[in-house]
Amino acid sequence: MSVNADRLLLFGATGDLAQRMLLPSLCALDADGLLEPDLKIVGTARSEMTTREYRDWARAALEKNLPDHRRSGVATFLNRLSYVPVDATTLDGYDELAKEVGTYDKGLAIFLSTAPSLFEPTIDGLVHAGLTEGNVRIGLEKPLGTDLASSEEINNAVAKAFSEDRIFRIDHYLGKETVQNLLALRFANLLFEPVWNATYIDHVQITVAETIGLESRVAYYDDSGALRDMVQNHMLQLLALVAMEPPTSFDSTAVRDEKVKVLRALRPIAKGETVTGQYRAGAVDGAAVPGYDEELGKPSDTETFVALKAHVDNWRWKGVPFYLRTGKRLPERVTEIVIQFRCIPHSIFEGRGASTKPNRLVIGIQPEENVQLSMMAKVPGLDREGIRLRQVPLDIAMPDAFSGTVRRIAYERLLLDLIEGDQTLFVRRDEVEAQWEWIDAIRALWEHEEIAPKPYGAGSWGPSAAIALAERDGVTWHDE
C-alpha cells in the first residue's frame, strides 16, 4: 500500500489550470484536514518570482476562484507553498529545485501541468536532479499526444524514469462524483446489473455539450478538434465505465483491466456512423455569438462537433448501439448518459386503452448531478374508458440526497489520490493507446472519405445529419 507523499511538486504552477483548479483544490483539501500536516507544496514555472511573490499571486488566485465559504483556510494553506523558477527546456535550475524540495521520507508526488512538448525535457531535468529516485510518482495532465504515435513517444519518455505503477495519467472526468457514482450504481445495487446487457437495453447515449466557443484555447483547440479534445478521453472513459464487466474488486488493476477490455472491443467506425460539424454564427442563451472561423480569425476545417454510432463487440453488448455526441456552441451545457431500455415484451394494458413506454435511466454528470429513472405508473382517479398510464420519473438529485455534504471539484479527488498513491481513477498506458487506435482510425476514415465538417448554427444541437444518424434507427437524441 502506498504511503502519503510528504512533498508535492507542481510544474506549471503559474498557469491557468493551477489558478482555476489546482490551487483551489489543494486549499480546500487543506481546510478540510485531508492533507498531512507535513505536506510541503513546491511550485515551479518559467515566471521569475520569489516564494513571497508566488504566495501573493496564489492568494489572488484563491480569492478569485474559491467560493466565499471555503476561503477561511487560505492563510494557513499559503504557508505550505514555496516557489522556484525553472525553465523546463534546460537543466538550469533543477538543482535549486531539488534543494527546495528537500528530503521526502514518505514520498514525492509530481504533477506536470505543462504542454506535452515539455514532458520529455522535464523528465530529463528531474533525472538530472535526482528527483525520480525512491518513492516518487508523477501525474500527467492531458493531452497525451495528438495520435497514437505521439502518445507512445510521450509515454516512452516518461517510462525512462518512472515505472507504470508510478505514472498517474489524469482524465479529470474520472474525478467527478457522478462518474464515480456510476460504479456504485452498477455494482452496489442488485437492481441494475441483471438487466445491464443487450437483452434488456436498446441503446445508450452519451452527450457532452458545451455552450462556450474557443475562449482562451484558440491555438490548442484548432490543432485538436472535438474528436481528440473530448471523444478520445472523456467520452471513451464514460463509455468504458458504462460497458465494463464487474471487476473482481475496487482497486486500480481490476477496474482498469475491465475498461481496457471494452476499449479493445470497440468496432471500427464505418462511413455512415460518423458526423462532424463546425459552428457558424448564431445565438446561445439569447446572445449573438460569432462563428468558429470568425473567433479563430481565419478559415479552418477543424471540427467543433462530432456524433458517432459506436458498437462494443462482446457478448454483453452485441447489437447495442452507443450514440456519442459532443460539441461547442450547443444550446445548453450538459454531460449525461442515457440508458434506454427495450419495450416490455407484452402489454396487458393495451385492451384497456393504455399504452406503455420503455424505461429510461438518465445519469446527469454536469451541471447538475442526478440520477433519473423513468417508470410507468397509473394515473390516479377513475376513467370509464379504462386505465390510464403515464411515465413518471424516480429522481435522485445528489445535492438533495446528500445535503450538507461538501460539493467538490474533480481535481480535489485526483490530487488527493496522487498524493496518496491510489491509481484507480487514473488512466493506464494500454487504455490510452487503445483509445488512440480507435480515434486514429476515425480520422483516417474522414481523410479517406473526404468527410468535412458540416455547418451548424450556434445554439443548435449540431448538423441535421447528427439527428439523422440516430433517427435512421428510430432513436431520438435525449432532449431533442
Side-chain angles (χ1 to χ4, degrees):
M1 183 175 179
S2 297
V3 177
N4 288 5
D6 51 3
R7 295 289 186 273
L8 175 61
L9 176 55
L10 295 179
F11 282 83
T14 60
D16 180 65
L17 185 66
Q19 179 177 325
R20 292 186 300 106
M21 295 292 179
L22 304 184
L23 290 175
S25 295
L26 290 167
C27 185
L29 291 172
D30 190 26
D32 292 337
L34 295 171
L35 299 183
E36 294 291 337
D38 59 350
L39 177 69
K40 178 181 178 181
I41 302 171
V42 181
T44 182
R46 294 183 64 176
S47 303
E48 289 290 338
M49 290 189 197
T50 64
T51 290
R52 180 183 295 275
E53 289 170 335
Y54 182 67
R55 289 179 177 178
D56 290 341
W57 179 90
R59 179 184 290 106
L62 293 169
E63 289 174 352
K64 178 181 179 182
N65 293 287
L66 274 177
D68 292 343
H69 69 278
R70 304 200 77 180
R71 294 181 185 174
S72 58
V74 169
T76 301
F77 171 71
L78 292 175
N79 289 330
R80 292 184 183 268
L81 300 182
S82 62
Y83 181 84
V84 177
V86 171
D87 181 348
T89 62
T90 74
L91 296 180
D92 298 339
Y94 277 94
D95 290 334
E96 187 64 29
L97 183 63
K99 186 184 301 183
E100 182 61 35
V101 169
T103 57
Y104 39 92
D105 299 327
K106 298 178 182 177
L108 168 64
I110 303 171
F111 189 107
L112 297 191
S113 175
T114 64
S117 60
L118 296 177
F119 283 2
E120 186 164 10
T122 299
I123 298 296
D124 292 341
L126 292 170
V127 171
H128 167 80
L131 290 174
T132 61
E133 300 169 3
N135 185 14
V136 183
R137 43 191 172 267
I138 189 164
L140 307 175
E141 182 60 49
K142 81 173 190 79
L144 295 178
T146 57
D147 54 19
L148 178 60
S150 58
S151 177
E152 289 178 330
E153 185 178 343
I154 290 171
N155 281 317
N156 289 338
V158 178
K160 290 190 301 183
F162 295 91
S163 56
E164 183 63 31
D165 63 336
R166 295 192 291 146
I167 302 172
F168 291 63
R169 297 174 189 83
I170 290 171
D171 184 331
H172 74 267
Y173 262 54
L174 298 181
K176 292 180 180 293
E177 286 286 355
T178 316
V179 173
Q180 297 169 58
N181 208 31
L182 177 58
L183 293 172
L185 186 75
R186 287 194 57 193
F187 304 128
N189 298 286
L190 184 61
L191 177 64
F192 292 114
E193 194 57 26
V195 296
W196 207 265
N197 54 58
T199 303
Y200 299 99
I201 291 177
D202 180 78
H203 69 269
V204 177
Q205 298 180 28
I206 302 176
T207 294
V208 180
E210 299 179 287
T211 57
I212 60 172
L214 288 177
E215 293 192 316
S216 60
R217 305 174 73 215
V218 175
Y220 163 73
Y221 193 87
D222 196 53
D223 287 339
S224 174
L227 185 68
R228 289 185 284 203
D229 183 48
M230 278 291 183
V231 181
Q232 185 273 332
N233 42 78
H234 304 328
M235 299 194 78
L236 286 184
Q237 284 294 313
L238 293 178
L239 186 153
L241 291 172
V242 169
M244 65 189 278
E245 295 294 324
T248 55
S249 62
F250 188 63
D251 68 52
S252 60
T253 299
V255 170
R256 297 190 295 178
D257 281 350
E258 298 304 334
K259 286 197 293 174
V260 169
K261 292 176 186 178
V262 173
L263 296 169
R264 288 176 175 163
L266 282 169
R267 183 192 306 172
I269 291 290
K271 181 180 179 180
E273 297 173 333
T274 174
V275 174
T276 175
Q278 185 186 98
Y279 64 83
R280 299 292 186 259
V284 178
D285 294 330
V289 296
Y292 181 80
D293 286 355
E294 297 168 78
E295 280 193 76
L296 187 63
K298 62 179 182 179
S300 171
D301 59 359
T302 297
E303 80 283 355
T304 63
F305 177 95
V306 176
L308 300 167
K309 179 183 175 182
H311 296 271
V312 179
D313 285 340
N314 60 22
W315 277 33
R316 181 183 290 259
W317 297 109
K318 187 68 174 180
V320 177
F322 286 72
Y323 297 95
L324 313 182
R325 173 178 62 166
T326 185
K328 287 187 174 295
R329 293 296 192 202
L330 300 183
E332 57 184 292
R333 175 177 173 262
V334 61
T335 299
E336 67 179 15
I337 300 167
V338 178
I339 311 296
Q340 181 66 61
F341 291 93
R342 298 188 185 278
C343 297
I344 57 174
H346 171 69
S347 175
I348 65 172
F349 303 104
E350 294 298 336
R352 304 294 299 274
S355 61
T356 61
K357 294 182 179 180
N359 304 124
R360 171 183 282 177
L361 179 67
V362 180
I363 302 165
I365 295 171
Q366 65 181 20
E368 299 300 327
E369 299 172 347
N370 57 61
V371 178
Q372 184 184 91
L373 178 63
S374 296
M375 307 280 291
M376 296 305 300
K378 177 188 177 296
V379 178
L382 301 175
D383 194 320
R384 290 182 180 276
E385 297 181 2
I387 187 171
R388 287 190 299 149
L389 301 178
R390 191 173 74 193
Q391 197 171 53
V392 295
L394 297 178
D395 203 340
I396 304 173
M398 293 302 174
D400 295 338
F402 299 99
S403 59
T405 303
V406 176
R407 185 174 183 178
R408 300 189 180 279
I409 60 177
Y411 278 96
E412 293 180 51
R413 172 77 271 163
L414 297 175
L415 284 167
L416 186 61
D417 284 355
L418 173 62
I419 292 167
E420 294 181 344
D422 185 347
Q423 289 185 305
T424 305
L425 298 178
F426 295 83
V427 184
R428 207 165 59 191
R429 177 170 182 165
D430 52 356
E431 287 182 76
V432 174
E433 293 179 349
Q435 289 171 182
W436 274 124
E437 285 179 12
W438 196 68
I439 294 298
D440 283 357
I442 295 173
R443 295 191 64 84
L445 173 70
W446 288 355
E447 184 176 348
H448 181 266
E449 299 292 342
E450 298 182 345
I451 298 174
K454 300 178 184 296
Y456 65 94
S460 71
W461 279 107
S464 58
I467 299 173
L469 175 69
E471 293 285 356
R472 284 196 298 268
D473 301 328
V475 172
T476 301
W477 289 105
H478 187 234
D479 289 337
E480 275 288 340

